[in-house]
């Protein structure tokens, strides 16, 4: 029986993990009635919840060494026990100091944004936290289950309670695991509710019909009503890609460009140079002193030659 239960619990928690995106550490909210039972019977709630929810085995599919090693994962790291402000106020009213110290040591406080001077019942308080909606529930005073506003379990809470009315309400909210005592000593995880099953089936069917498998993308013709109902998306203009500006080189390291002269201007310049008369060279005129000195030198040379011949 235990093996069958553990397998069924594993399947249920895999659905909550894959469909409703439950992640470690699990957040478990307990009401005051189940806390009083665990305290009076000295029941180890954390270890038994760890056996039922099996966080080490379910989240070992990610392949990390820390998750595959059961000894490395402590239940205190994978599970967190919470108490709402309203239920804590009810525990204060019992005036049992040992119970209050037990709750302070083992449970964390969860804000429910309700007035502590006028606390709500655990049924209304816990249901308002798990059933998160954008609208106000008009039938909250009437407490009609069939006509109440249904939201989602936004914060992924696991509810541990003995209140039957609260469990009936939470079964209508998709993705809420419910844990309770059976025979006062055995913890049980309730099977997945019908709303959660329907939600998971729709979620899995969307994987087959959306994306590339969608008829819109497959090229099938649609009727005129479908074309009118499906509003055409507004075409957003593509972003303009700016070209990167090339940096200019250093002007000191670049040779200066020589202005090119056209060919016809070059020909005219050559013609003008050829037509101009050549300038006469200026003859150098020697001074008289130099001319007299040179004649005297010539006479001295003649006398020397005559002496040598004699």
């Amino acid at each position: 029986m235990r093996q069958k239960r553990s397998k069924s619990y594993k399947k249920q928690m895999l659905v909550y993990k894959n469909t409703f995106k439950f992640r470690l550490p699990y957040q478990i909210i307990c009401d005051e009635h189940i806390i009083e039972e665990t305290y009076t019977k000295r029941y180890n709630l954390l270890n038994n919840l760890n056996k039922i929810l099996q966080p080490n085995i379910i989240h070992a599919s990610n392949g990390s060494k820390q998750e595959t090693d059961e000894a490395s994962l402590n239940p205190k790291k994978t599970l967190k026990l919470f108490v709402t402000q309203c239920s804590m106020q009810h525990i204060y009213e019992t005036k049992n100091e040992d119970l209050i110290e037990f709750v302070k040591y083992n449970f964390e406080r969860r804000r429910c944004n309700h007035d502590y001077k006028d606390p709500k019942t655990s049924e209304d308080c816990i249901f308002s936290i798990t059933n998160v909606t954008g609208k106000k529930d008009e039938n909250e005073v009437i407490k009609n289950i069939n006509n109440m506003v249904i939201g989602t379990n936004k914060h992924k809470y696991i509810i541990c309670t003995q209140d039957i009315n609260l469990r009936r309400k939470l079964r209508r909210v998709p993705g809420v695991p419910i844990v309770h005592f059976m025979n006062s000593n055995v913890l049980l995880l309730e099977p997945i509710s019908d709303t959660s099953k329907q939600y998971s089936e729709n979620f899995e069917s969307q994987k087959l019909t959306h994306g590339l498998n969608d008829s819109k993308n497959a090229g099938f013709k649609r009727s005129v009503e479908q074309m009118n109902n499906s509003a055409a998306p507004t075409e957003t203009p593509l972003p303009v890609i700016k070209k990167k500006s090339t940096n200019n080189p250093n002007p000191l390291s670049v040779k200066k460009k020589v202005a090119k002269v056209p060919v016809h201007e070059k020909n005219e310049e050559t013609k003008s140079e050829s037509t101009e008369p050549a300038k006469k060279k200026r003859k150098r005129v020697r001074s008289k002193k130099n001319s007299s000195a040179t004649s005297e030198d010539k006479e001295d040379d003649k006398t020397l030659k005559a002496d040598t011949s004699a």
Side-chain angles (χ1 to χ4, degrees):
M1 288 292 290
R2 289 183 179 178
Q3 290 181 354
K4 289 181 180 179
R5 282 181 183 175
S6 63
K7 287 182 180 178
S8 64
Y9 294 159
K10 186 178 179 180
K11 289 179 181 178
Q12 291 177 36
M13 293 310 297
L14 283 171
V15 171
Y16 290 121
K17 176 193 170 186
N18 297 323
T19 305
F20 299 100
K21 308 302 178 184
F22 274 66
R23 293 291 178 267
L24 294 178
Y26 290 152
Q27 299 179 8
I28 303 164
I29 293 178
C30 304
D31 62 350
E32 65 271 14
H33 303 294
I34 208 160
I35 290 169
E36 288 177 359
E37 286 188 9
T38 54
Y39 175 72
T40 53
K41 295 174 183 178
R42 303 296 178 185
Y43 189 80
N44 195 342
L45 184 63
L46 190 66
N47 289 333
N48 286 295
L49 284 170
N50 191 23
K51 291 177 183 178
I52 293 169
L53 302 176
Q54 303 175 7
N56 300 335
I57 299 168
I58 291 164
H59 288 269
S61 59
N62 295 334
S64 62
K65 294 181 181 179
Q66 293 180 354
E67 291 178 351
T68 53
D69 190 6
E70 293 182 1
S72 63
L73 278 178
N74 198 9
K76 291 182 180 179
K77 294 181 181 179
T78 57
L79 302 175
K80 284 188 177 182
L81 301 176
F82 288 92
V83 181
T84 60
Q85 289 178 342
C86 295
S87 59
M88 191 68 197
Q89 194 64 29
H90 293 305
I91 291 169
Y92 282 134
E93 289 175 359
T94 60
K95 296 181 181 181
N96 188 350
E97 293 182 357
D98 295 332
L99 177 62
I100 293 166
E101 288 180 0
F102 171 75
V103 174
K104 287 181 179 179
Y105 182 74
N106 293 308
F107 294 84
E108 294 183 16
R109 193 73 61 87
R110 171 53 169 92
R111 291 183 181 178
C112 56
N113 297 325
H114 297 143
D115 189 6
Y116 68 93
K117 294 180 181 179
D118 186 15
K120 291 187 176 183
T121 60
S122 60
E123 179 184 348
D124 296 333
C125 180
I126 294 172
F127 182 73
S128 66
I129 291 169
T130 52
N131 186 28
V132 179
T133 58
K135 301 177 182 178
K136 289 184 178 181
D137 193 354
E138 296 177 354
N139 297 314
E140 187 177 1
V141 179
I142 300 170
K143 295 182 180 180
N144 190 357
I145 297 172
N146 295 321
N147 296 325
M148 68 182 182
V149 177
I150 297 171
T152 56
N153 187 8
K154 182 180 177 182
H155 303 287
K156 310 295 185 291
Y157 289 136
I158 297 170
I159 308 302
C160 189
T161 181
Q162 289 292 101
D163 193 350
I164 295 171
N165 294 324
L166 178 59
R167 280 187 271 163
R168 287 174 182 170
K169 285 184 177 181
L170 292 175
R171 286 178 194 137
R172 296 182 63 82
V173 181
V176 181
I178 301 169
V179 181
H180 64 91
F181 275 113
M182 186 185 73
N183 298 329
S184 71
N185 284 325
V186 181
L187 271 179
L188 286 178
L189 177 66
E190 283 193 2
I192 298 174
S193 61
D194 294 334
T195 55
S196 298
K197 281 182 182 179
Q198 189 175 0
Y199 184 90
S200 64
E201 287 175 0
N202 294 332
F203 180 77
E204 293 295 330
S205 64
Q206 285 178 1
K207 292 180 181 179
L208 300 173
T209 56
H210 281 25
L212 295 174
N213 295 326
D214 193 356
S215 61
K216 298 176 184 178
N217 299 324
F220 294 109
K221 292 182 179 180
R222 292 182 291 168
S223 62
V224 178
E225 294 179 357
Q226 291 177 353
M227 293 289 286
N228 294 328
N229 291 330
S230 63
T234 56
E235 294 181 357
T236 55
L238 295 172
V240 179
I241 299 170
K242 293 182 180 180
K243 294 182 179 179
K244 292 182 179 179
S245 60
T246 56
N247 295 324
N248 295 324
N250 189 359
L252 299 175
S253 64
V254 178
K255 291 182 179 180
K256 293 182 179 180
K257 292 182 179 181
V258 180
K260 292 182 179 181
V261 181
V263 179
H264 62 275
E265 290 183 1
K266 285 184 179 180
N267 295 330
E268 289 177 357
E269 287 178 359
T270 52
K271 286 178 182 179
S272 62
E273 288 177 356
S274 61
T275 51
E276 288 180 358
K279 293 181 180 179
K280 293 180 180 181
K281 288 184 180 181
R282 188 176 180 183
K283 289 184 179 181
R284 185 177 181 184
V285 179
R286 296 179 180 273
S287 63
K288 292 180 180 180
K289 291 181 181 180
N290 292 332
S291 61
S292 63
T294 52
S295 61
E296 289 176 357
D297 291 335
K298 288 180 181 179
E299 287 179 357
D300 291 335
D301 291 334
K302 286 179 182 179
T303 55
L304 286 170
K305 286 180 181 179
D307 291 337
T308 54
S309 63

PDB file of all heavy atoms in Angstrom, residues 129-144:
ATOM      1  N   ILE A 129      -5.884  33.808   0.354  1.00  0.00           N
ATOM      2  CA  ILE A 129      -4.480  33.822  -0.079  1.00  0.00           C
ATOM      3  C   ILE A 129      -4.268  32.950  -1.305  1.00  0.00           C
ATOM      4  O   ILE A 129      -3.562  33.322  -2.238  1.00  0.00           O
ATOM      5  CB  ILE A 129      -3.578  33.352   1.081  1.00  0.00           C
ATOM      6  CG1 ILE A 129      -3.568  34.381   2.194  1.00  0.00           C
ATOM      7  CG2 ILE A 129      -2.149  33.113   0.619  1.00  0.00           C
ATOM      8  CD1 ILE A 129      -2.934  33.889   3.464  1.00  0.00           C
ATOM      9  N   THR A 130      -4.893  31.771  -1.310  1.00  0.00           N
ATOM     10  CA  THR A 130      -4.674  30.826  -2.410  1.00  0.00           C
ATOM     11  C   THR A 130      -5.477  31.193  -3.657  1.00  0.00           C
ATOM     12  O   THR A 130      -4.976  31.074  -4.776  1.00  0.00           O
ATOM     13  CB  THR A 130      -5.056  29.405  -1.968  1.00  0.00           C
ATOM     14  OG1 THR A 130      -6.371  29.421  -1.414  1.00  0.00           O
ATOM     15  CG2 THR A 130      -4.078  28.892  -0.929  1.00  0.00           C
ATOM     16  N   ASN A 131      -6.702  31.631  -3.485  1.00  0.00           N
ATOM     17  CA  ASN A 131      -7.563  31.989  -4.617  1.00  0.00           C
ATOM     18  C   ASN A 131      -7.333  33.463  -4.947  1.00  0.00           C
ATOM     19  O   ASN A 131      -8.078  34.348  -4.519  1.00  0.00           O
ATOM     20  CB  ASN A 131      -9.028  31.722  -4.262  1.00  0.00           C
ATOM     21  CG  ASN A 131      -9.940  31.928  -5.451  1.00  0.00           C
ATOM     22  OD1 ASN A 131      -9.541  31.768  -6.596  1.00  0.00           O
ATOM     23  ND2 ASN A 131     -11.180  32.286  -5.178  1.00  0.00           N
ATOM     24  N   VAL A 132      -6.289  33.728  -5.722  1.00  0.00           N
ATOM     25  CA  VAL A 132      -5.916  35.102  -6.055  1.00  0.00           C
ATOM     26  C   VAL A 132      -6.659  35.501  -7.323  1.00  0.00           C
ATOM     27  O   VAL A 132      -6.517  34.874  -8.375  1.00  0.00           O
ATOM     28  CB  VAL A 132      -4.401  35.235  -6.263  1.00  0.00           C
ATOM     29  CG1 VAL A 132      -4.027  36.659  -6.639  1.00  0.00           C
ATOM     30  CG2 VAL A 132      -3.665  34.814  -5.005  1.00  0.00           C
ATOM     31  N   THR A 133      -7.475  36.569  -7.223  1.00  0.00           N
ATOM     32  CA  THR A 133      -8.234  37.071  -8.360  1.00  0.00           C
ATOM     33  C   THR A 133      -8.046  38.573  -8.468  1.00  0.00           C
ATOM     34  O   THR A 133      -7.723  39.242  -7.498  1.00  0.00           O
ATOM     35  CB  THR A 133      -9.738  36.769  -8.192  1.00  0.00           C
ATOM     36  OG1 THR A 133     -10.187  37.360  -6.977  1.00  0.00           O
ATOM     37  CG2 THR A 133      -9.997  35.277  -8.165  1.00  0.00           C
ATOM     38  N   GLY A 134      -8.269  39.078  -9.696  1.00  0.00           N
ATOM     39  CA  GLY A 134      -8.211  40.519  -9.893  1.00  0.00           C
ATOM     40  C   GLY A 134      -9.502  41.215  -9.518  1.00  0.00           C
ATOM     41  O   GLY A 134      -9.562  42.439  -9.456  1.00  0.00           O
ATOM     42  N   LYS A 135     -10.565  40.442  -9.247  1.00  0.00           N
ATOM     43  CA  LYS A 135     -11.872  41.002  -8.895  1.00  0.00           C
ATOM     44  C   LYS A 135     -12.206  40.666  -7.447  1.00  0.00           C
ATOM     45  O   LYS A 135     -11.694  39.715  -6.869  1.00  0.00           O
ATOM     46  CB  LYS A 135     -12.963  40.421  -9.804  1.00  0.00           C
ATOM     47  CG  LYS A 135     -12.742  40.683 -11.287  1.00  0.00           C
ATOM     48  CD  LYS A 135     -13.829  40.020 -12.077  1.00  0.00           C
ATOM     49  CE  LYS A 135     -13.615  40.223 -13.569  1.00  0.00           C
ATOM     50  NZ  LYS A 135     -14.668  39.538 -14.358  1.00  0.00           N
ATOM     51  N   LYS A 136     -13.086  41.453  -6.871  1.00  0.00           N
ATOM     52  CA  LYS A 136     -13.585  41.172  -5.533  1.00  0.00           C
ATOM     53  C   LYS A 136     -14.709  40.137  -5.619  1.00  0.00           C
ATOM     54  O   LYS A 136     -15.533  40.177  -6.534  1.00  0.00           O
ATOM     55  CB  LYS A 136     -14.108  42.450  -4.881  1.00  0.00           C
ATOM     56  CG  LYS A 136     -13.013  43.424  -4.510  1.00  0.00           C
ATOM     57  CD  LYS A 136     -13.601  44.617  -3.772  1.00  0.00           C
ATOM     58  CE  LYS A 136     -12.495  45.581  -3.361  1.00  0.00           C
ATOM     59  NZ  LYS A 136     -13.032  46.748  -2.628  1.00  0.00           N
ATOM     60  N   ASP A 137     -14.690  39.232  -4.681  1.00  0.00           N
ATOM     61  CA  ASP A 137     -15.711  38.184  -4.647  1.00  0.00           C
ATOM     62  C   ASP A 137     -16.991  38.760  -4.037  1.00  0.00           C
ATOM     63  O   ASP A 137     -17.054  39.049  -2.838  1.00  0.00           O
ATOM     64  CB  ASP A 137     -15.200  36.991  -3.830  1.00  0.00           C
ATOM     65  CG  ASP A 137     -16.075  35.765  -4.028  1.00  0.00           C
ATOM     66  OD1 ASP A 137     -17.112  35.886  -4.696  1.00  0.00           O
ATOM     67  OD2 ASP A 137     -15.701  34.700  -3.515  1.00  0.00           O
ATOM     68  N   GLU A 138     -18.015  38.936  -4.870  1.00  0.00           N
ATOM     69  CA  GLU A 138     -19.277  39.494  -4.382  1.00  0.00           C
ATOM     70  C   GLU A 138     -20.035  38.500  -3.510  1.00  0.00           C
ATOM     71  O   GLU A 138     -20.838  38.891  -2.671  1.00  0.00           O
ATOM     72  CB  GLU A 138     -20.139  39.910  -5.572  1.00  0.00           C
ATOM     73  CG  GLU A 138     -19.512  41.028  -6.402  1.00  0.00           C
ATOM     74  CD  GLU A 138     -20.363  41.360  -7.605  1.00  0.00           C
ATOM     75  OE1 GLU A 138     -21.357  40.636  -7.829  1.00  0.00           O
ATOM     76  OE2 GLU A 138     -20.025  42.327  -8.317  1.00  0.00           O
ATOM     77  N   ASN A 139     -19.774  37.185  -3.719  1.00  0.00           N
ATOM     78  CA  ASN A 139     -20.488  36.163  -2.960  1.00  0.00           C
ATOM     79  C   ASN A 139     -19.703  35.710  -1.732  1.00  0.00           C
ATOM     80  O   ASN A 139     -19.906  34.603  -1.229  1.00  0.00           O
ATOM     81  CB  ASN A 139     -20.768  34.956  -3.867  1.00  0.00           C
ATOM     82  CG  ASN A 139     -21.667  35.335  -5.022  1.00  0.00           C
ATOM     83  OD1 ASN A 139     -22.659  36.006  -4.838  1.00  0.00           O
ATOM     84  ND2 ASN A 139     -21.287  34.925  -6.216  1.00  0.00           N
ATOM     85  N   GLU A 140     -18.776  36.536  -1.277  1.00  0.00           N
ATOM     86  CA  GLU A 140     -17.968  36.149  -0.120  1.00  0.00           C
ATOM     87  C   GLU A 140     -18.825  36.054   1.147  1.00  0.00           C
ATOM     88  O   GLU A 140     -18.626  35.194   1.991  1.00  0.00           O
ATOM     89  CB  GLU A 140     -16.841  37.161   0.073  1.00  0.00           C
ATOM     90  CG  GLU A 140     -15.845  36.772   1.148  1.00  0.00           C
ATOM     91  CD  GLU A 140     -14.702  37.764   1.250  1.00  0.00           C
ATOM     92  OE1 GLU A 140     -14.704  38.755   0.484  1.00  0.00           O
ATOM     93  OE2 GLU A 140     -13.822  37.541   2.097  1.00  0.00           O
ATOM     94  N   VAL A 141     -19.779  36.968   1.272  1.00  0.00           N
ATOM     95  CA  VAL A 141     -20.644  36.944   2.459  1.00  0.00           C
ATOM     96  C   VAL A 141     -21.599  35.758   2.395  1.00  0.00           C
ATOM     97  O   VAL A 141     -21.872  35.095   3.401  1.00  0.00           O
ATOM     98  CB  VAL A 141     -21.428  38.272   2.568  1.00  0.00           C
ATOM     99  CG1 VAL A 141     -22.339  38.243   3.784  1.00  0.00           C
ATOM    100  CG2 VAL A 141     -20.453  39.448   2.626  1.00  0.00           C
ATOM    101  N   ILE A 142     -22.099  35.467   1.190  1.00  0.00           N
ATOM    102  CA  ILE A 142     -23.054  34.369   1.034  1.00  0.00           C
ATOM    103  C   ILE A 142     -22.358  33.016   1.189  1.00  0.00           C
ATOM    104  O   ILE A 142     -22.943  32.057   1.675  1.00  0.00           O
ATOM    105  CB  ILE A 142     -23.736  34.467  -0.355  1.00  0.00           C
ATOM    106  CG1 ILE A 142     -24.466  35.806  -0.453  1.00  0.00           C
ATOM    107  CG2 ILE A 142     -24.684  33.319  -0.591  1.00  0.00           C
ATOM    108  CD1 ILE A 142     -24.970  36.135  -1.823  1.00  0.00           C
ATOM    109  N   LYS A 143     -21.066  32.953   0.771  1.00  0.00           N
ATOM    110  CA  LYS A 143     -20.280  31.720   0.845  1.00  0.00           C
ATOM    111  C   LYS A 143     -20.915  30.617   0.005  1.00  0.00           C
ATOM    112  O   LYS A 143     -21.049  29.471   0.425  1.00  0.00           O
ATOM    113  CB  LYS A 143     -20.110  31.259   2.292  1.00  0.00           C
ATOM    114  CG  LYS A 143     -19.299  32.228   3.145  1.00  0.00           C
ATOM    115  CD  LYS A 143     -19.108  31.698   4.554  1.00  0.00           C
ATOM    116  CE  LYS A 143     -18.291  32.690   5.368  1.00  0.00           C
ATOM    117  NZ  LYS A 143     -18.079  32.227   6.748  1.00  0.00           N
ATOM    118  N   ASN A 144     -21.308  30.972  -1.178  1.00  0.00           N
ATOM    119  CA  ASN A 144     -21.857  30.001  -2.109  1.00  0.00           C
ATOM    120  C   ASN A 144     -20.722  29.458  -2.966  1.00  0.00           C
ATOM    121  O   ASN A 144     -20.087  30.203  -3.712  1.00  0.00           O
ATOM    122  CB  ASN A 144     -22.921  30.658  -2.994  1.00  0.00           C
ATOM    123  CG  ASN A 144     -23.679  29.623  -3.818  1.00  0.00           C
ATOM    124  OD1 ASN A 144     -23.381  28.435  -3.779  1.00  0.00           O
ATOM    125  ND2 ASN A 144     -24.673  30.092  -4.549  1.00  0.00           N
TER     126      ASN A 144
END
